[in-house]
């Protein structure tokens, strides 16, 4: 099981295992800290948006438990097909914000270690990139929240 590691091939064709920033122990620690801050943040700001990779059940459940004390909680799972994801990763690489091979390796590792949600989630299919993808996403969120409150 290579979970917690990315396999990276260097310029000489050799494969190296590199620790992933998305392993359960690290994400659990990060999410525990955020869970402790959630009541205070909710009191100060009202609405909270927590953005991250929630593909693993144990770290994700820490935040879900903490969110139970908040008013309305909506979980939106954003997915995209490989072509759209590749376009975004190539764009990030062009901006100097990561190497395509590393980003692609992280995405593959997260897909292989995904654990399904035990609670209802809204799923948004993001096939866009950059600023052009923001308005369709916000439209989806607004429409979904209106439907949820009405129904």
């Amino acid at each position: 099981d290579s979970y917690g590691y990315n396999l990276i091939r260097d310029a000489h064709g050799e494969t190296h295992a590199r620790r992933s920033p998305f392993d359960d122990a690290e994400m659990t620690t990060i999410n525990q800290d955020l869970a402790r801050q959630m009541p205070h943040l909710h009191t100060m700001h009202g609405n909270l948006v927590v953005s991250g990779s929630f593909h693993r059940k144990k770290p994700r459940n820490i935040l879900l438990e903490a969110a139970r004390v908040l008013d309305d909680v909506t979980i939106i799972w954003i997915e995209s097909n490989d072509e759209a994801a590749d376009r975004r990763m190539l764009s990030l690489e062009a901006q100097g914000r990561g190497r395509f091979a590393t980003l692609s390796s992280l995405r593959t590792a997260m897909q292989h270690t995904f654990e399904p949600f035990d609670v209802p989630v809204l799923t948004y299919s993001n096939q866009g990139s950059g600023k052009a993808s923001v308005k369709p996403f916000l439209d989806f969120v607004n429409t979904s929240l209106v439907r949820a409150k009405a129904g």
Side-chain angles (χ1 to χ4, degrees):
D1 183 8
S2 67
Y3 179 69
Y5 293 88
N6 295 310
L7 300 177
I8 306 294
R9 183 164 286 133
D10 67 18
H12 304 289
E14 295 180 34
T15 302
H16 304 274
R18 189 179 73 126
R19 191 84 175 140
S20 168
F22 297 108
D23 75 354
D24 281 355
E26 290 175 68
M27 292 309 301
T28 295
T29 300
I30 291 167
N31 289 353
Q32 285 171 333
D33 184 50
L34 179 56
R36 281 190 293 276
Q37 296 178 46
M38 281 176 106
H40 176 70
L41 292 169
H42 183 259
T43 300
M44 286 179 56
H45 303 288
N47 295 318
L48 299 176
V49 174
V50 179
S51 175
S53 176
F54 301 109
H55 63 289
R56 300 288 293 168
K57 190 177 291 191
K58 181 181 176 186
R60 174 177 68 222
N61 283 346
I62 292 166
L63 293 179
L64 291 176
E65 285 299 316
R68 288 186 197 279
V69 301
L70 308 177
D71 297 329
D72 292 325
V73 176
T74 302
I75 302 168
I76 302 172
W77 180 257
I78 302 172
E79 55 185 37
S80 64
N81 63 29
D82 290 338
E83 183 181 312
D86 287 351
R87 278 195 315 270
R88 282 193 296 280
M89 290 184 284
L90 287 168
S91 174
L92 289 171
E93 183 176 58
Q95 296 169 36
R97 296 174 53 198
R99 288 184 38 227
F100 177 82
T102 303
L103 297 169
S104 182
S105 175
L106 285 171
R107 182 172 191 267
T108 299
M110 286 187 277
Q111 287 173 322
H112 285 32
T113 59
F114 173 77
E115 296 174 317
F117 285 84
D118 295 330
V119 296
V121 298
L122 298 174
T123 302
Y124 178 72
S125 180
N126 181 17
Q127 305 310 322
S129 184
K131 291 179 183 177
S133 66
V134 174
K135 184 175 180 341
F137 175 68
L138 292 177
D139 290 345
F140 170 83
V141 170
N142 289 328
T143 302
S144 299
L145 294 179
V146 167
R147 273 193 211 133
K149 289 181 189 223

